[in-house]
Amino acid sequence: MSFRKSLLALPAALAVAGVAYASSGMLPEDALDLQIKKTNSSSYLIQSPQNLMMMPDNPAWLVAEAGEVLFKQARGPKNASLEQCDFGKGPGVLEGAHAELPRYFADTGKVMDLDTRLVYCMKTLQGFTNDDPAIKQKHGSKSDMMKLQTYIGSKSSGMPWNPPMNHPLEKAMRDAGEVMFYRRSATMDFSCATCHTQTGKRIRASVLPSVYDPADWTKAISWPSHRTSHEEVRSSQHRVLECLWQMRYPNIKNGSDASIAMISFWTDAGRGEPVIVPDLKR
Amino acid sequence: MFKKSPIAALAAASLLLIAGGCSATNAGKSEAAKPAAVAAAPVVAAPVAAPAAAAKVDYTKMSAKDLAEYLIFEAEGYDLKQATQEGTNGRARLVQDEIQKACSLMKGQELDDKSREKVMALATASIKYPEGGIKLGDWKKGRELAWSGYGYRTAHNPDDHEKGTPGGNCYNCHQIATDRTGGDIGPSLTGYGKNRGAGEDMLKYTYDVIYNPHAYFACTNMPRMGASGVLSQKQIADVMAYLFDPESPVNK
């Protein structure tokens, strides 16, 4: 667990004392604990005592550790590591990078999320193509994508979500994502808002997070997370996919602008609340 | 004339794709060269590509609503050709009907009276009644239909209606009988028939609400189980038996 310890840059006590979320990070269980206190134990945050207990032994840490190895390894046709990948805060800077995604990248002229930016670096720096398993396999704890995303994501744990809205494209994507969030369609007339705009409501036994409760919402948008019901680490893109499946929508393309617009909106809705990655979810 | 032909447009588009790929590769090597490479690529590829490049939409010039529609239908966001269980495609699932449009209310937006009346009128007009009137079916079948969340899901894991009967998804949002855990997005229906009786008006009201709840509650979260074709008239009768039958666990 040396990997986890390296994240313990600031003692949690400091944050409890009222200091704003540490810029140098916090273990996810400590960040979550603060949210639980802040919300007076919201039913969404505390719905699984087992998961809360398991947080320090989250199986996702093993996935993150494997991701660190992959990240630093020279790989692909160009035999390069990902250490020069720019996730928005400069080449190789991972601390806090995930907390500021999606964002606009001048080199592609696009707003990109963690998934699409990682793919971009694996192509440009390492020479992988869309058909290589390293890129093609998007889901599951054994995939390179999830190992890398979990590692990179964990480097923002405890830091406040702060996706930039300075570039007009960032704002445009966020705003389109908001429209999509409320847009009802398909067999059951569902939109994201159907399930995610009321506090403490349940689908069967599961307590739902509301987009209007940022202190809860941050846990909902904190991916990668290990999902106990899947026994896999899952990404933001996978969350989009699975919600839309339940909503009876057709398949959404991984990394499409439609998916990134939705992720832009939902990340903006968590602004200022701490990233909890890797998280444990049902 | 050559430029206008669809084949030329297609060729231009694929050239653009190739050029885009190249510029992306170059961009990785040199930070400074990136925007220039992207801008220059279509010109380098072929003059034919220029109109296509000019036609490329500027997301920042569109309204949020227009951009959302563009991302859904034009930007390869969804598999619009994906087959659906009802024999349509992904596009048909995503196109909004009038009720869906009127009810896509954003934060702070409220349904105006005119829209409410329209939604309720459309919903009322959509309801078809069984020949011989509304009767209760088999509560045991209704119990399973109320529990099942199967059916009509597509995306990465399409439901196979040969292997499973689409259900009503009722328990997702309603507590009904107490022997199973239901959600609470909708009101509790525990003791439904016992508390309300099974008079003709109550039967019609319940049938209507299952068939198309917007007839009473404009822009409700509840799906239109009859109007959307998820539940047949016979299946609605079964679900209603589950709600009204004195023998049903709902009323025990």
Side-chain angles (χ1 to χ4, degrees), chain A residues 182-185 189, chain B residues 65 69 73 94-106 109 111 115 118-119 122 219 224:
Chain A
Y182 292 93
R183 188 185 185 279
R184 299 181 71 170
S185 69
D189 306 327
Chain B
K65 197 168 179 297
E69 295 296 309
F73 293 110
L94 291 168
V95 171
Q96 292 179 297
D97 70 11
E98 286 193 77
I99 288 181
Q100 289 169 335
K101 272 185 201 163
C103 295
S104 294
L105 298 161
M106 295 178 69
Q109 285 185 325
L111 192 65
S115 302
K118 189 179 158 193
V119 166
L122 281 168
C219 296
R224 299 168 276 178

Side-chain angles (χ1 to χ4, degrees), chain A residues 107 120 124 172 178 182-187 189 201-204 212 245 248-253 257, chain B residues 24 34 59 69 77 79 82 93-94 96 100 104-105 147 149 151-154 157 172 182 184 220 224:
Chain A
D107 51 19
Y120 170 80
T124 54
E178 182 176 24
Y182 292 93
R183 188 185 185 279
R184 299 181 71 170
S185 69
T187 320
D189 306 327
K201 292 288 182 183
R202 286 180 291 107
I203 287 282
R204 300 189 192 235
Y212 302 141
W245 174 69
R248 276 72 182 176
Y249 283 39
N251 215 5
I252 191 160
K253 193 177 167 198
D257 282 350
Chain B
K34 284 163 197 171
Y59 289 0
E69 295 296 309
D79 183 356
Q82 182 168 28
R93 287 272 181 100
L94 291 168
Q96 292 179 297
Q100 289 169 335
S104 294
L105 298 161
W147 181 250
Y152 294 97
R153 289 172 299 197
T154 47
N157 188 16
N172 285 355
D184 65 358
T220 173
R224 299 168 276 178

Side-chain angles (χ1 to χ4, degrees), chain B residues 206-223:
Chain B
T206 304
Y207 183 90
D208 287 352
V209 168
I210 296 171
Y211 202 101
N212 193 337
H214 298 269
Y216 296 87
F217 311 104
C219 296
T220 173
N221 283 327
M222 183 170 162

